[in-house]
Amino acid sequence: MMSRAGAIASALALPLALLPAVAQASPTSPDHTTPSGVVDGRTRPGHTAPERGPVGHRLPKTATMTGSGGAVASVDPVASQVAIDVLAKGGTAADAAVAATAALNVVEPYATGMGGGGFFVHYDAHTKKVETLDGRETAPRSVTPTTFVEPDGTPMDFDKAVNSGLSVGVPGTPAMWQEILDRWGRRSLSEMLAPAQRIADRGFVVDEAFSTATTENAERFSKFPATAAVFLPGGKPVQPGHVLRQPDLARTFGMLRHDGVDAFYRGPIGKAVVETVRRPATAPGVAVPRGGMTMRDLRTYRVLPKKPVVSSYRGLDVYGMPAPSGGGIAVAEILELVEQSEKRTGVPLSRTDDVQYLHRFAEASAAAFADRNRWVADVVGVPTDELVSEAYAAERACGFDASKAAPRPVAVGQPDGTYAPCGPIAAGRPGTVHDGASTTHLTVADKWGDVVSYTSTIEQFGGSGMVVPGYGFLLNNQLTDFEFVPPTKGVPHPNLPGPGKRPRSSISPTIVLKDGRPVLAVGAAGGATIITTTSQILLGYLDRDLTLVGAVNAPRLSSRNTDAGAEPRLYDSSTGEALRGMGQPMTSVPALGRATAIAMPARGVFVAAAERTRGGGGSAMVVRPRH
Ligand code: GLU
């Protein structure tokens, strides 16, 4: 089997004229009822979508689409269609990413929105540079290392912290949208938020997945009347088929369109956020911890440009997010460790069977998680270059045994620049990780060749559970991504809370270049499993000869050192049995993460891929489909 990494090199050498012709179809086929007009209020010729009534309910969920003119992969067809409309009308990938994420705020409000944050990786076809933006939520000045410690010294109950004002970080997403447009956009914020405002106003049709998620969160949503009013109409979770209109949210988008992000960071939206955090409006008899956010915290919020984490994998350059996300570092370390396993055994990953492939992957991810948990946080001096270096990986992979799993948890490595000869893998300490399943990943590419990999989140599915009264959006609970207490008693940990600090993340938006040109963009949702999902898709596509949609949909394994899960299609298979026979720990988990990706197999050709079934299925679209 030739690895895709090798094949990519030859495909890129193809002259354009040799590529199959791409159909010049309209961005959407005429039988779709599109949220057409969501961008500019006009319907395109041949489109008869009504100006009133819910948007997008007849859009098909397509897991993969190939073509030209630009592409998008998201978790939702309405959001993907918004992006395609922007791209088809000459917007950049950055423009489309802002418009689609704002639309996701409406149709995936439990996963993302202006009350949260995110990380953004961008390839600029003009400068040929990959740059990143850190739009992570930030702890208010009032936060201290003991914010999540009870008076008796015990860590606060996790759910108590989640459903409270205490866990709300200063949102980064509105500022991120403006920053993205300032740097790489051709459109205004007002234009790019128009589709979201329209969808919130007209409503969308609730599907099974959304209804189920509402039911799962109903108890905590009922604690907050403003949340219950939106998602539990008449006291009951919204049901499939219900048209969910969000007029407050539509008005808030209108304010942002009219007054810009100042309406958020200096104006009435921010004031309402601060009020909600400091004095959560709860149902009778319900009391939740209050936070200490102030307008000063909002005014001083900044999106931070960050130097990407760059590592080399089989001659490809892999770009990801640096701290405070552990995602870029851990994905890079996993790839390095897998490459080292190959060197040690002499058998390329492309030639192993599934058992050996997944065994190598699990050993690598367990080691990378030990390191990520210990070394990565929002502090100065994260040993990023060492953690993703070949020399460090060579030392770390030395003790890997091709026939059996190292006992978990494995010990943390010492990325100190001096690397010892081979030895067995040392044992580590048990730990806990809270894995949410929230967040959403969006991948976009435009006709100029710009590429976006953007993961945005409000942390837990449904965030803090608190909708800002009168404004219609959920606030994050991102500060629960801090360690509540030091994992080792008395030893300070870099990911303890602190004023102005950003909690460590697992978010892993990734862009892969070959000889300076993008060939793949990928990322995922799913808490800490984001790292394993993203790595497994990279390996599946680059090494295991899977199609992109095949790599996205392959059954997942997530071995995270102190915890490990496998989806039933893997767990219940002979491969799963063989892995357990080698000592690979795993429990059966119904579904791990939700991913999206775009491959660029040749100049101007895009293969977009999304989930077929996880989370109810995602949506891949291109501007001009190839038929
Ligand atoms: N808070 C998580 C992180 O930043 C993402 C939320 C989730 O996917 O559960 O890593």
Side-chain angles (χ1 to χ4, degrees):
M1 192 191 301
M2 181 184 186
S3 78
R4 175 112 34 193
I8 282 169
S10 10
L12 287 179
L14 268 182
L16 249 189
L18 294 185
L19 294 172
V22 217
Q24 298 293 310
S26 134
T28 52
S29 58
D31 56 343
H32 299 168
T33 297
T34 73
S36 55
V38 286
V39 174
D40 60 5
R42 291 190 299 272
T43 48
R44 284 187 297 278
H47 289 253
T48 53
E51 278 300 303
R52 307 303 315 165
V55 294
H57 57 293
R58 291 201 203 120
L59 283 171
K61 283 186 176 173
T62 311
T64 186
M65 205 182 271
T66 299
S68 60
V72 60
S74 87
V75 296
D76 188 277
V78 172
S80 289
Q81 183 65 55
V82 165
I84 286 294
D85 285 351
V86 173
L87 294 171
K89 289 167 191 279
T92 63
D95 292 321
V98 170
T101 311
L104 287 166
N105 188 162
V106 184
V107 296
E108 283 280 327
Y110 303 154
T112 187
M114 65 178 87
F119 293 95
F120 187 85
V121 182
H122 183 269
Y123 171 80
D124 185 323
H126 184 65
T127 62
K128 308 210 179 316
K129 268 174 45 186
V130 179
E131 291 162 281
T132 80
L133 294 175
D134 165 1
R136 184 70 159 169
E137 300 92 327
T138 302
R141 280 176 177 73
S142 52
V143 167
T144 72
T146 57
T147 287
F148 296 109
V149 180
E150 297 286 8
D152 67 358
T154 57
M156 187 176 280
D157 171 71
F158 191 72
D159 288 337
K160 177 178 168 186
V162 167
N163 301 293
S164 82
L166 210 53
S167 63
V168 181
V170 178
T173 291
M176 176 76 114
W177 289 340
Q178 187 62 66
E179 188 74 29
I180 292 167
L181 295 177
D182 288 348
R183 285 170 181 266
W184 304 292
R186 293 180 170 210
R187 301 282 182 261
S188 68
L189 184 68
S190 178
E191 285 173 280
M192 293 302 92
L193 300 189
Q197 184 181 5
R198 189 175 300 268
I199 299 161
D201 184 38
R202 284 172 52 178
F204 71 96
V205 179
V206 167
D207 65 9
E208 200 70 44
F210 191 92
S211 176
T212 304
T214 311
T215 304
E216 285 167 2
N217 282 284
E219 199 253 316
R220 68 193 196 101
F221 285 178
S222 68
K223 291 180 179 169
F224 305 104
T227 312
V230 183
F231 303 117
L232 310 174
K236 297 222 169 61
V238 283
Q239 295 300 304
H242 175 88
V243 177
L244 183 59
R245 292 189 61 234
Q246 299 171 75
D248 286 350
L249 183 59
R251 251 192 321 276
T252 306
F253 273 118
M255 292 167 82
L256 284 173
R257 294 185 60 205
H258 192 264
D259 299 326
V261 293
D262 273 0
F264 197 98
Y265 292 97
R266 293 165 183 275
I269 309 174
K271 287 200 179 102
V273 168
V274 165
E275 176 64 20
T276 309
V277 168
R278 296 178 74 92
R279 276 174 289 277
T282 50
V286 175
V288 301
R290 298 171 167 203
M293 193 184 293
T294 63
M295 281 310 286
R296 182 168 172 224
D297 291 318
L298 281 166
R299 270 199 313 277
T300 51
Y301 182 85
R302 296 288 175 270
V303 171
L304 303 173
K306 294 260 170 87
K307 193 169 150 260
V309 174
V310 193
S311 60
S312 159
Y313 183 67
R314 300 191 193 293
L316 305 169
D317 297 309
V318 181
Y319 288 78
M321 276 314 303
S325 183
I329 295 169
V331 167
E333 188 179 338
I334 290 170
L335 297 180
E336 288 286 352
L337 289 170
V338 164
E339 214 169 12
Q340 287 301 325
S341 303
E342 182 168 308
K343 283 196 180 139
R344 285 175 50 71
T345 57
V347 185
L349 204 61
S350 55
R351 296 238 194 85
T352 62
D353 60 14
D354 279 350
V355 175
Q356 190 54 220
Y357 154 51
L358 291 169
H359 171 63
R360 290 182 191 180
F361 171 52
E363 294 299 278
S365 63
F369 264 86
D371 291 345
R372 166 253 193 212
N373 291 353
R374 169 66 186 86
W375 299 111
V376 185
D378 187 13
V379 289
V380 176
V382 176
T384 304
D385 292 345
E386 290 301 333
L387 286 169
V388 306
S389 73
E390 198 184 330
Y392 178 66
E395 180 190 65
R396 203 88 172 93
C398 236
F400 287 179
D401 185 331
S403 61
K404 67 173 195 298
R408 303 295 199 269
V410 300
V412 63
Q414 297 302 320
D416 53 12
T418 56
Y419 299 117
C422 269
I425 304 257
R429 293 164 200 269
T432 51
V433 202
H434 292 285
D435 296 320
S438 183
T439 304
T440 191
H441 184 73
L442 174 76
T443 318
V444 191
D446 65 32
K447 62 184 174 190
W448 296 282
D450 300 334
V451 180
V452 163
S453 198
Y454 181 16
T455 313
S456 61
T457 178
I458 56 171
E459 209 311 275
Q460 196 145 315
F461 221 58
S464 63
M466 298 192 299
V467 161
V468 179
Y471 291 83
F473 63 91
L474 280 158
L475 286 170
N476 71 83
N477 64 298
Q478 208 63 249
L479 304 191
T480 58
D481 272 2
F482 285 122
E483 305 285 337
F484 286 14
V485 293
T488 311
K489 211 171 174 206
V491 181
H493 188 275
N495 192 37
L496 286 175
K501 205 168 162 182
R502 300 180 177 203
R504 181 183 57 217
S505 171
S506 300
I507 286 175
S508 314
T510 306
I511 294 182
V512 181
L513 304 191
K514 169 75 186 171
D515 298 332
R517 287 216 324 103
V519 291
L520 180 62
V522 58
T529 68
I530 289 172
I531 290 168
T532 46
T533 292
T534 305
S535 316
Q536 197 179 338
I537 293 170
L538 285 162
L539 296 173
Y541 182 68
L542 296 172
D543 286 295
R544 300 297 293 172
D545 205 32
L546 298 178
T547 60
L548 190 60
V549 72
V552 167
N553 286 281
R556 290 185 186 137
L557 174 63
S558 182
S559 197
R560 305 187 302 284
N561 202 28
T562 52
D563 198 2
E567 292 182 330
R569 275 188 294 151
L570 173 59
Y571 188 91
D572 297 331
S573 69
S574 56
T575 302
E577 201 180 325
L579 285 165
R580 290 195 294 282
M582 293 165 81
Q584 280 303 342
M586 64 179 81
T587 54
S588 182
V589 180
L592 288 164
R594 289 167 91 181
T596 67
I598 297 177
M600 289 132 272
R603 209 176 276 278
V605 177
F606 304 103
V607 180
E611 299 290 352
R612 284 194 199 286
T613 54
R614 293 182 189 99
S619 167
M621 293 189 189
V622 297
V623 172
R624 282 193 295 280
R626 178 199 281 181
H627 294 295

